[in-house]
Amino acid sequence: MEKNISVVTCGKCRTPIPVETYNAPSMATCATCHTLFHATVFPALFKDFEKSAAGEAVAVEDESSCFYHPNKKAATICESCGRFLCGLCDVVLMDRHMCPPCIEAAQKKDKIPRLKKNRVLYDDVALCVAALPMLTVWATLITAPITVFIVIRYWKAPSSILPRTKIRFVIAMLLAVLQILGWVAVIAFVVRR
Amino acid sequence: MRGKNKEYTRLPGRGRTTVNVVHAVRYSLWLGPNHILAIANEGFSEDYKRFYYKDIQALVIQKTIAGAIYNAILAFIMALFFTLAAIGIAKKWDSGGIVTLCSFAGFFLVLLAVNLIKGPTCKCFLQTAVQTEQLYSLRRIRTARKTIARIKQAVEAVQGSLSAEHLASAPSPSAVFQTTAPVTRAPDGRLIPHKHYNGRFHLWLFSFLLVNALAYGLCIVVFGAFAGIVCMMVNSCCTILTIVALVKQNDTDLGSDIKTITWTTLGYIVASYIFIWTYSAIAGFQAAIDGTPHSEISPWGIFTDKTSITVVFRIVSAACNAALGIFGLKRMDEFRKRAGMPPPIRSAETQKQAQPGGGL
């Protein structure tokens, strides 16, 4: 185990704050920058770190070795690709043993939602493309078909990780359809004249 | 969506930063099954950060003066409009104009009331073993306290609550860590240690502010070009000293209260220059319309005219200069007394580690 020497610091000047101010009922003053602060501290601050395994060296020539470190003994198997892994390469993610390349590949393909750091909100994009050009009416001639394309193309694309309905897509599609019908009527009227 | 279990619960707090005219980022905090989710919504995309309950070490609320500054600005603008409306009533201006001025004053009064009701502002930081992250959605102390109470429940359900044994094992202030030199975090994340500054330029600035207050007092009593010239010269010196002081105080160990007073001085100077230029422009246009010869138009009108607006301006300016000067000098005195104390003591352990061939 590795000794944990973390301290809580003032948010402004990064000076360590005294222990007696931890979980105090009222605000305290930083001795250095005189800012008022309140610190809520948890037992994790005092928990020692578990040292990660470095991997054992191969003792016998025929022994199974790690795919990424041929000199280290295989400790487990990657549950995604089946490769042998040493203690260093073994990453436990959501109770599954995986190797770093598989984790990276799964992250890129959006197979592990918990690792997702960013999502594009195509429904907001579609609604914006449908609604904003209505300020300058003529622009909707170009943006209405684009909106229809976005709605159809990204209807099934994953949206925000928070629960979200497709209402924005629906409204964007309705607006786009109305705009297209409007333009068809205008063009027909002009042609007839 | 109705049948779906609610995985995340929204926590109080709604932060927003403006990147440019068309781009703003909205922040929110959500309580999950085993982690907190911080979302930064940039309009068409969302960025997620997860903080697992078992990893959270501390939550720190740091009070800021932004709320007080908003209050001061809103109160100043409201008072300005009310003063103009009062002058209008006394001078029997057009009722439409007076109603407009009162409406503006009322609008800013509402904004001020809302800001006061929301309470003081703060910044909130979440600390884990590898990072200290600011929670941008928590900007008011009242909201931050409510949110932290809910997070605390969830975290203590996983980690347990802090016991006396934990606190006993923590490094005590006298044993290991003393107050170290303060640092500033640069935009790229580097920590820049503060350098010592003796506060010379700030002393000059606050002294000149008091002289400026006397100069404005002279302008109130003596209506003449000489008083106006003296006032302008001292005002210019204050402006230059303010800019120099702001540059000098950057990344130094000067107290945050003195730095705040210096910034407030800059704000006051900018506001007074705007007022002076606006008054001079209006006076110039009025003189041109009236057909007043150029030689009779005074460039020092704001300091020499006997109108009620200029007199009120001089009185307010004298008061502001005096207040800033007195507060500044008082704080400088305290800072210089503190700076005369012995430097912070490092523990034997950190001294050993800092030596060549030591632990680090």
Side-chain angles (χ1 to χ4, degrees):
Chain A
M1 297 288 266
E2 208 172 295
K3 182 79 182 144
N4 182 0
I5 52 169
S6 300
V7 289
V8 181
T9 54
C10 170
K12 192 168 181 183
C13 64
R14 320 306 290 167
T15 309
I17 61 175
V19 175
E20 49 266 25
T21 60
Y22 291 1
N23 296 347
S26 57
M27 297 194 103
T29 308
C30 175
T32 308
C33 65
H34 309 288
T35 310
L36 284 174
F37 70 89
H38 181 267
T40 305
V41 177
F42 303 105
L45 183 68
F46 309 101
K47 191 176 153 193
D48 293 329
F49 300 122
E50 231 177 83
K51 252 188 165 177
S52 54
E56 292 174 35
V58 169
V60 180
E61 206 176 299
D62 293 336
E63 208 169 7
S64 309
S65 62
C66 174
F67 179 83
Y68 301 103
H69 302 103
N71 296 332
K72 291 191 192 266
K73 196 161 80 170
T76 186
I77 295 175
C78 175
E79 292 179 34
S80 176
C81 62
R83 287 173 181 155
F84 289 169
L85 305 173
C86 63
L88 193 62
C89 297
D90 176 27
V91 177
V92 179
L93 182 67
M94 294 167 69
D95 298 325
R96 291 183 70 200
H97 293 265
M98 294 174 73
C99 61
C102 283
I103 292 173
E104 196 182 336
Q107 190 181 8
K108 279 183 187 164
K109 290 177 189 171
D110 211 9
K111 284 186 179 173
I112 308 177
R114 285 294 167 87
L115 290 184
K116 196 65 192 169
K117 293 185 295 188
N118 177 276
R119 281 258 172 90
V120 177
L121 305 175
Y122 292 106
D123 48 357
D124 278 343
V125 172
L127 189 59
C128 217
V129 171
L132 280 181
M134 287 168 76
L135 294 170
T136 56
V137 179
W138 61 268
T140 55
L141 180 62
I142 302 163
T143 58
I146 294 174
T147 307
V148 172
F149 169 76
I150 292 173
V151 171
I152 294 170
R153 168 70 181 82
Y154 294 107
W155 179 264
K156 286 195 175 169
S159 180
S160 171
I161 60 173
L162 299 171
R164 202 166 161 113
T165 62
K166 303 261 187 213
I167 188 70
R168 290 169 186 81
F169 271 142
V170 170
I171 294 172
M173 184 61 123
L174 275 172
L175 283 174
V177 165
L178 286 171
Q179 287 161 15
I180 289 171
L181 289 174
W183 278 111
V184 164
V186 163
I187 291 168
F189 176 75
V190 167
V191 163
R192 272 190 202 168
R193 283 196 72 177
Chain B
M1 294 298 131
R2 277 181 203 161
K4 206 170 178 175
N5 282 333
K6 219 175 165 185
E7 192 183 355
Y8 291 104
T9 312
R10 182 153 192 169
L11 290 170
R14 196 183 291 265
R16 183 188 177 100
T17 55
T18 308
V19 180
N20 53 44
V21 175
V22 294
H23 184 211
V25 184
R26 295 191 312 270
Y27 300 94
S28 57
L29 220 52
W30 299 75
L31 207 64
N34 60 352
H35 62 274
I36 298 169
L37 180 69
I39 299 180
N41 186 312
E42 298 190 23
F44 300 131
S45 68
E46 285 180 341
D47 288 321
Y48 307 114
K49 276 189 185 161
R50 293 172 182 82
F51 305 100
Y52 288 86
Y53 296 143
K54 62 181 175 59
D55 297 330
I56 296 175
Q57 292 182 339
L59 290 157
V60 180
I61 301 174
Q62 170 212 324
K63 189 176 177 184
T64 59
I65 60 164
I69 292 173
Y70 298 150
N71 284 340
I73 292 171
L74 290 170
F76 177 76
I77 297 173
M78 182 196 69
L80 200 64
F81 279 114
F82 267 132
T83 307
L84 286 170
I87 292 170
I89 291 168
K91 297 259 179 183
K92 293 181 184 165
W93 289 350
D94 177 40
S95 58
I98 293 170
V99 167
T100 308
L101 288 169
C102 289
S103 307
F104 277 119
F107 172 70
F108 283 102
L109 178 64
V110 167
L111 290 179
L112 177 64
V114 166
N115 199 45
L116 285 168
I117 288 166
K118 280 185 173 179
T121 50
C122 71
K123 284 185 185 175
C124 193
F125 298 91
L126 186 150
Q127 179 174 320
T128 64
V130 296
Q131 69 197 137
T132 301
E133 202 71 29
Q134 186 175 347
L135 301 176
Y136 291 98
S137 63
L138 304 178
R139 302 183 125 193
R140 299 279 176 172
I141 288 183
R142 202 175 292 149
T143 311
R145 281 190 182 270
K146 269 192 243 171
T147 305
I148 285 176
R150 289 181 66 178
I151 295 174
K152 189 177 173 187
Q153 263 184 332
V155 173
E156 285 182 345
V158 173
Q159 294 186 27
S161 50
L162 203 62
S163 64
E165 287 88 28
H166 287 124
L167 291 171
S169 69
S172 73
S174 58
V176 179
F177 283 106
Q178 290 276 339
T179 303
T180 56
V183 293
T184 304
R185 189 172 287 278
D188 60 3
R190 287 176 305 121
L191 290 176
I192 305 167
H194 288 183
K195 49 188 186 286
H196 179 65
Y197 167 52
N198 59 11
R200 184 177 51 175
F201 286 99
H202 285 73
L203 273 175
W204 277 103
L205 167 64
F206 298 133
S207 306
F208 260 87
L209 283 171
L210 286 179
V211 172
N212 207 17
L214 288 172
Y216 273 108
L218 183 70
C219 285
I220 295 166
V221 172
V222 177
F223 295 102
F226 172 73
I229 292 168
V230 167
C231 224
M232 280 290 288
M233 285 173 63
V234 179
N235 225 14
S236 305
C237 289
C238 286
T239 308
I240 294 166
L241 279 169
T242 304
I243 294 166
V244 172
L246 282 170
V247 171
K248 279 285 183 185
Q249 75 182 19
N250 210 21
D251 294 333
T252 62
D253 60 351
L254 198 64
S256 61
D257 45 359
I258 299 172
K259 292 181 183 180
T260 305
I261 294 173
T262 314
W263 279 107
T264 310
T265 306
L266 179 71
Y268 154 73
I269 286 172
V270 168
S272 66
Y273 272 126
I274 290 172
F275 188 90
I276 291 169
W277 290 332
T278 309
Y279 178 84
S280 303
I282 292 171
F285 279 126
Q286 191 65 43
I289 290 167
D290 292 343
T292 309
H294 280 264
S295 56
E296 289 181 25
I297 300 172
S298 168
W300 322 109
I302 194 74
F303 300 107
T304 57
D305 288 356
K306 294 178 191 175
T307 59
S308 43
I309 288 178
T310 57
V311 172
V312 165
F313 169 75
R314 283 173 236 159
I315 292 171
V316 168
S317 296
C320 287
N321 277 283
L324 288 167
I326 291 169
F327 276 125
L329 284 172
K330 194 165 171 278
R331 290 281 185 252
M332 279 305 302
D333 184 49
E334 288 169 10
F335 166 72
R336 288 169 80 88
K337 278 181 191 164
R338 276 200 314 266
M341 289 164 65
I345 302 165
R346 281 169 140 195
S347 72
E349 197 179 322
T350 43
Q351 275 175 348
K352 189 180 163 189
Q353 285 178 345
Q355 281 166 10
L360 290 173

